[in-house]
């Protein structure tokens, strides 16, 4: 163990080099698609949200960062913090590879306030078995680090070694319950099955294997990345547990699993000492093109500060799995979703809605009231929406269109992204067919029979410079997709095809910057 915890470079030196790497890329950054109100790095590549927490009066979001290019590579932890979840401040890079154990990457992990009041981070130390690439698999172990300010960390080294032979052994998520610390992480078994393991500890330093908490029933799923595990309360006051994971190896089927890897959840029951018992099938967290590796945290868990109202808040990563992603030469690649509150709805399903704080992004609002759009026509409702939230209620009873909705990023060259209610398909369609850049595919968020039979359908659509994020019916479905607007003003238009559209209410909010541009 000592050897594996040996420093091969000083952490400070590795961090300074990484800062210089980000600064170099940031200097070349093209801002046409750089987010105004989503978290992204100044420069370089980012992926998973990590270490989400509220610590000593500030919200902290860390993320996987490759500081030296706009492609995935040697993973660091980038960091931003905020005192209101609206305006964010860049913090120094928190982790760089510096130990033998994390030589080829400080991989994903989570953060909790420890019994000692310090911030504890648990992450995966990653090494390539051959020292170069993944041709001969990897060596992964769970590591810990501590901090008094959430900014500067002391690495404690390996706390869970990898029993020989386990390929893919990563992404610790830690929580405390009934006086005991628990950790879940994902692994791939010798026969290539995806499992979530459960460990426990009394002191956060010495961890014991408890059991396989969950084994994915599909033999094709060989790894469950970034597992998450938390309780929710159903409408009758019963506790349920949600197991979330990002499945590698799941195959597309109908509207499901259309991304290379797919993040979703199952609802079930669990008691300490037992296995998780699923009561639902696997459901996607998000039906868009670009969503992966979400992490959630509870605003109460482990924190004795003021801002602790018990919400389960989740961030996801706009994963660029569907190629092409035209960001290679833009100086940056990758952003996080908005923070989402996760709860069990009256319908018994999980909902994810933008955190209440997101209303604080609104700069000015226009209420357009009822709008009728005749079949085959378009109505421009905003001439140039660079950063906008659109709240739209469709009057389903008085809408006869086969397909109707809203075009955003509609530029003078004829490009746009279309978010439509599709009566034939029975779902919300996010269609990039008319995009000038990147993938042109579409995705569907299916609606339930009850939703299709309802009088109204609500959409909350967040348009940023390079993305569209859609919340359907109070977050019953969500869709996150990149949308690379072409040059010129970016109009918003209502559209009705093969029938009329009646919009019961429409409000447009221009959104301000979160301060990271
Ligand atoms: C998920 C993931 C994690 C890993 C990290 C590395 O996107 O592959 O399993 O810890 O990204 O960047």
């Amino acid at each position: 163990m000592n050897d594996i915890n040996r420093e091969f470079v000083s952490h400070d030196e590795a961090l300074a080099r990484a800062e210089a790497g980000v600064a170099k890329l940031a200097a070349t950054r093209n801002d046409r698609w750089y987010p105004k109100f989503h978290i992204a790095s100044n420069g370089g590549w980012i992926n998973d949200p990590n270490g989400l927490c509220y610590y000593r009066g500030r919200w902290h979001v860390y993320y996987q960062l490759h500081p030296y290019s706009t492609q995935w590579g040697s993973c660091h932890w980038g960091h931003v913090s905020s005192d209101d979840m609206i305006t964010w401040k860049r913090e120094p890079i928190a982790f760089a590879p510096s130990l033998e154990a994390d030589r080829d990457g400080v991989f994903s992990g989570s953060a909790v306030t420890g019994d000692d009041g310090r911030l504890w981070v648990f992450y995966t130390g990653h090494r390539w078995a051959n020292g170069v690439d993944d041709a001969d698999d990897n060596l992964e172990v769970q590591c810990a680090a501590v901090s008094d300010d959430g900014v500067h960390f002391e690495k404690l080294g390996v706390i869970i070694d990898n029993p020989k032979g386990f390929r893919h052994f990563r992404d610790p998520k830690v929580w405390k319950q009934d006086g005991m610390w628990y950790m879940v992480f994902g692994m791939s078994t010798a026969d290539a099955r995806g499992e979530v393991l459960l460990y426990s500890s009394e002191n956060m330093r010495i961890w014991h294997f408890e059991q396989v908490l969950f084994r994915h029933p599909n033999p094709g799923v060989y790894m469950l990345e970034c597992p998450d595990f938390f309780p929710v309360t159903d409408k009758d006051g019963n506790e349920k547990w949600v197991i979330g994971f990002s499945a590698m190896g799941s195959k597309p089927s109908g509207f499901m699993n259309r991304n290379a890897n797919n993040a979703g959840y199952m609802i079930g029951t669990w008691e300490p000492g037992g296995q998780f018992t699923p009561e639902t099938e696997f459901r996607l967290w998000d039906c868009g093109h670009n969503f992966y590796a979400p992490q959630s945290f509870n605003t109460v868990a482990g924190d004795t500060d003021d801002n602790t109202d018990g919400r389960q808040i989740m961030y996801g990563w706009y994963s660029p799995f569907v190629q092409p992603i035209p960001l290679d030469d833009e100086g940056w690649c990758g952003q996080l979703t908005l923070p989402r509150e996760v709860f069990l709805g009256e319908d018994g399903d999980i909902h994810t809605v933008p955190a209440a704080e997101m209303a604080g992004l609104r700069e000015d609002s226009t209420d357009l009231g009822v709008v009728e759009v005749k079949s085959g026509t378009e109505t421009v409702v905003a001439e140039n929406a660079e950063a906008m939230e659109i709240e739209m209620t469709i009057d389903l009873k008085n809408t006869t269109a086969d397909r109707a909705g809203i075009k955003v990023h509609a530029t003078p060259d004829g490009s746009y992204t279309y978010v439509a209610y599709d009566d034939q398909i029975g779902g919300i369609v996010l269609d990039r067919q008319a995009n000038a850049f990147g993938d042109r595919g579409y995705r569907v968020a299916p609606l339930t029979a009850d939703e299709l039979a309802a009088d109204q359908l609500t959409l909350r659509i967040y348009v940023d410079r390079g993305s569209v994020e859609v919340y359907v019916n109070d977050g019953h479905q969500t869709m996150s997709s990149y949308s690379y607007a072409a040059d010129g003003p970016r109009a918003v238009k209502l559209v009705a095809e093969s029938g009329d559209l009646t919009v019961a209410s429409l409000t447009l909010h221009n959104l301000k910057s979160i301060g990271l541009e």
Side-chain angles (χ1 to χ4, degrees):
M1 255 331 170
N2 280 340
D3 220 28
I4 200 178
N5 287 327
R6 193 188 57 224
E7 268 198 349
F8 68 88
V9 60
S10 97
H11 198 206
D12 286 347
E13 195 183 321
L15 291 171
R17 261 193 252 153
E19 291 289 357
V22 169
K24 194 168 162 201
L25 285 162
T28 70
R29 202 178 76 207
N30 185 340
D31 278 349
R32 59 184 164 166
W33 302 319
Y34 191 77
K36 208 171 159 187
F37 62 92
H38 287 88
I39 292 171
S41 176
N42 234 350
W45 158 280
I46 77 165
N47 50 293
D48 319 355
N50 290 157
L52 305 176
C53 64
Y54 181 77
Y55 182 66
R56 302 215 162 137
R58 292 189 76 77
W59 303 100
H60 294 273
V61 170
Y62 308 83
Y63 47 81
Q64 290 283 285
L65 165 72
H66 184 214
Y68 302 116
S69 91
T70 53
Q71 308 275 337
W72 185 86
S74 163
C75 296
H76 294 54
W77 279 34
H79 181 199
V80 293
S81 78
S82 168
D83 60 10
D84 59 6
M85 221 192 281
I86 303 170
T87 304
W88 293 82
K89 171 175 166 243
R90 287 203 189 283
E91 300 284 6
I93 296 168
F95 294 113
S98 66
L99 303 180
E100 186 55 32
D102 60 26
R103 173 180 276 278
D104 298 318
V106 179
F107 270 22
S108 284
S110 56
V112 285
T113 304
D115 296 325
D116 54 4
R118 306 184 84 192
L119 187 68
W120 283 66
V121 158
F122 295 89
Y123 69 88
T124 297
H126 171 87
R127 283 171 293 160
W128 299 121
N130 62 13
V132 187
D133 57 28
D134 66 355
D136 299 311
D137 282 341
N138 55 49
L139 297 169
E140 293 178 335
V141 290
Q142 314 320 329
C143 300
V146 288
S147 170
D148 289 316
D149 57 8
V151 178
H152 305 99
F153 287 88
E154 179 197 340
K155 287 185 180 177
L156 301 179
V158 180
I159 44 114
I160 298 179
D161 204 357
N162 185 343
K164 208 167 164 235
F166 290 136
R167 177 184 171 233
H168 300 307
F169 191 73
R170 60 174 174 270
D171 306 337
K173 175 81 196 298
V174 172
W175 77 100
K176 191 177 189 184
Q177 186 175 338
D178 304 332
M180 185 66 99
W181 290 97
Y182 290 98
M183 177 192 290
V184 284
F185 58 87
M187 88 156 208
S188 190
T189 61
D191 59 346
R193 298 291 297 261
E195 289 185 348
V196 176
L197 304 186
L198 179 69
Y199 279 66
S200 66
S201 171
E202 279 168 9
N203 56 19
M204 308 181 91
R205 285 175 190 267
I206 301 167
W207 291 83
H208 306 282
F209 171 69
E210 289 234 340
Q211 66 185 105
V212 175
L213 181 71
F214 176 72
R215 179 181 173 91
H216 199 286
N218 177 348
V221 171
Y222 62 90
M223 171 62 185
L224 302 176
E225 296 189 299
C226 302
D228 203 347
F229 196 50
F230 56 86
V232 288
T233 309
D234 76 7
K235 63 176 182 344
D236 303 319
N238 301 316
E239 181 180 271
K240 297 285 174 186
W241 280 78
V242 177
I243 193 164
F245 48 81
S246 291
M248 301 176 89
S250 47
K251 294 273 173 298
S253 157
F255 302 133
M256 293 291 290
N257 302 336
R258 310 291 331 175
N259 292 331
N261 298 320
N262 294 278
Y265 64 91
M266 290 165 130
I267 309 168
T269 53
W270 177 71
E271 303 242 325
Q275 273 196 336
F276 169 75
T277 311
E279 291 179 349
T280 68
E281 72 293 352
F282 175 72
R283 298 172 184 169
L284 296 175
W285 285 117
D286 187 290
C287 298
H289 296 84
N290 307 106
F291 184 89
Y292 197 62
Q295 181 178 96
S296 74
F297 71 110
N298 192 284
T299 60
V300 161
D303 204 302
T304 51
D305 267 325
D306 47 348
N307 206 348
T308 54
D309 51 17
R311 289 178 292 166
Q312 194 74 24
I313 294 187
M314 168 180 281
Y315 280 87
W317 161 48
Y318 272 82
S319 55
F321 285 147
V322 185
Q323 302 289 339
I325 290 292
L327 284 170
D328 291 359
D329 301 323
E330 304 270 309
W332 70 287
C333 182
Q335 66 184 40
L336 303 184
T337 63
L338 293 178
R340 300 174 177 180
E341 291 172 23
V342 185
F343 60 94
L344 207 48
E346 292 270 306
D347 52 12
D349 200 3
I350 288 287
H351 288 232
T352 58
V353 294
E357 284 84 348
M358 295 306 100
L361 288 173
R362 294 171 185 166
E363 211 160 30
D364 56 72
S365 304
T366 312
D367 183 351
L368 295 168
V370 176
V371 189
E372 308 272 356
V373 185
K374 287 284 164 225
S375 182
T377 71
E378 296 187 344
T379 304
V380 174
V381 290
E383 299 288 346
N384 190 12
E386 184 189 44
M388 180 175 271
E389 176 193 348
I390 301 163
E391 289 186 288
M392 173 157 105
T393 301
I394 297 180
D395 179 344
L396 289 180
K397 285 282 160 275
N398 293 300
T399 291
T400 54
D402 276 3
R403 197 162 73 142
I406 202 149
K407 290 180 179 174
V408 301
H409 286 167
T411 46
D413 65 340
S415 312
Y416 57 84
T417 294
Y418 189 15
V419 180
Y421 164 72
D422 191 314
D423 194 52
Q424 290 191 71
I425 291 177
I428 302 300
V429 177
L430 194 157
D431 191 346
R432 305 191 296 194
Q433 184 62 47
N435 278 202
F437 300 95
D439 169 67
R440 296 212 174 98
Y442 72 98
R443 285 294 157 78
V444 176
L447 296 167
T448 62
D450 283 352
E451 287 175 312
L452 290 166
D455 290 347
Q456 296 193 326
L457 175 109
T458 63
L459 294 174
R460 238 173 123 179
I461 304 170
Y462 285 85
V463 184
D464 206 337
R465 290 197 186 117
S467 62
V468 177
E469 194 164 322
V470 183
Y471 295 82
V472 185
N473 282 342
D474 198 25
H476 189 217
Q477 298 283 17
T478 61
M479 307 181 88
S480 301
S481 295
Y482 285 112
S483 167
Y484 303 105
D487 289 347
R490 301 163 174 197
V492 177
K493 303 173 177 179
L494 295 178
V495 192
E497 297 169 55
S498 310
D500 301 334
L501 163 68
T502 301
V503 174
S505 67
L506 180 66
T507 309
L508 309 179
H509 309 278
N510 280 310
L511 301 185
K512 60 187 182 196
S513 165
I514 58 169
L516 296 176
E517 287 169 274

